[in-house]
Amino acid sequence: ELLSRVPETLAALATQYRLLLITKGDLFDQESKIARSGLAEVFDGIEVVAEKEPLTYERIVRRYGIEPATLLMVGNSVKSDVLPVLEIGGQAALVEYHLTWELEHAERPHAHDGYWELPDISHVPDLLARLNGEPS
């Protein structure tokens, strides 16, 4: 079941940005979830990884020719989505979800220029517009 505003937000973002889905877990299970979501076509790349750690993100940005400073990771885990991306010089936006696996909890970064907390995914286009110096 998709969260509210996800399909339309991703569709809007895909008209202006390269979108990558980076998820961790069992390859078969994750591929099945992605297929059932109906969203696979919106992504320029899909990466199913064993762990989301700085080295993993470094390999992915290298593979796609992305400068880490231009990467904005949007996710619901401080430990897996935010901290490793900040460590490689990227930016991260936390969109909390009421259910987060206990092992994904970590202390949030404080006073970091490349970190934002958003109430839901529909705020990502406005954040990107601000980061690009555009009116939102």
Side-chain angles (χ1 to χ4, degrees), residues 67-73 82 84-92 112 114-115:
E67 186 63 40
T70 67
L71 172 67
L72 174 65
M73 176 63 172
V82 172
V85 169
L86 294 177
E87 189 173 321
I88 68 163
Q91 302 170 82
H112 194 289
Y115 170 69

Side-chain angles (χ1 to χ4, degrees), residues 96-117:
E96 285 194 276
Y97 185 62
H98 68 278
L99 296 175
T100 303
W101 193 29
E102 175 109 7
L103 295 176
E104 289 298 315
H105 290 273
E107 189 168 329
R108 297 171 190 219
H110 298 286
H112 194 289
D113 288 339
Y115 170 69
W116 298 270
E117 294 180 6

